Amino acid sequence: MASIETNNYLNALKSRKQKEITMATFSRTDLMKKQDGKCSRCKQDLKAGYYKFIKDPKSGSADIVCSDCLVHIPDRR
C-alpha cells in the first residue's frame, strides 16, 4: 500500500518536469556498515537484536548502541 502511494507521489513530481528528484531517506543498513557492526560507544560487536538505533533530534545524527551501553547498571559494593 505504501509503495503505491510513493509511486503516485513520484509520478506527480515527475510531471512537473524537474531534472532530478531526490528523496531524503536514512537507511539503517548503511549506518550499520558505517559503524562496521560495532557499538558507537564501547566499540564491541553488536549482537543481533540486542541494539538500538538512537537519533539525536538536535544534530540529526544517528548512532547504534548496544544493550550494555544503553542500560547502565551501577556496581554493587
Side-chain angles (χ1 to χ4, degrees), residues 4-40:
I4 295 170
E5 293 173 355
T6 305
N7 287 335
N8 290 338
Y9 179 69
L10 287 174
N11 290 336
L13 287 176
K14 288 177 184 176
S15 68
R16 298 176 112 191
K17 308 289 185 206
Q18 292 180 346
K19 292 182 181 178
E20 186 176 327
I21 299 171
T22 57
M23 294 182 66
T25 59
F26 185 78
S27 177
R28 292 179 175 209
T29 55
D30 291 340
L31 181 60
M32 183 72 85
K33 289 177 185 176
K34 184 175 128 183
Q35 288 187 203
D36 295 326
K38 300 197 181 283
C39 175
S40 65

Side-chain angles (χ1 to χ4, degrees), residues 41-69:
R41 294 181 187 168
C42 67
K43 307 299 184 212
Q44 291 185 1
D45 290 332
L46 293 170
K47 299 174 190 167
Y50 293 104
Y51 54 85
K52 184 174 182 179
F53 293 89
I54 298 175
K55 185 172 183 181
D56 186 16
K58 290 182 181 177
S59 66
S61 64
D63 292 323
I64 303 175
V65 180
C66 68
S67 61
D68 293 336
C69 293

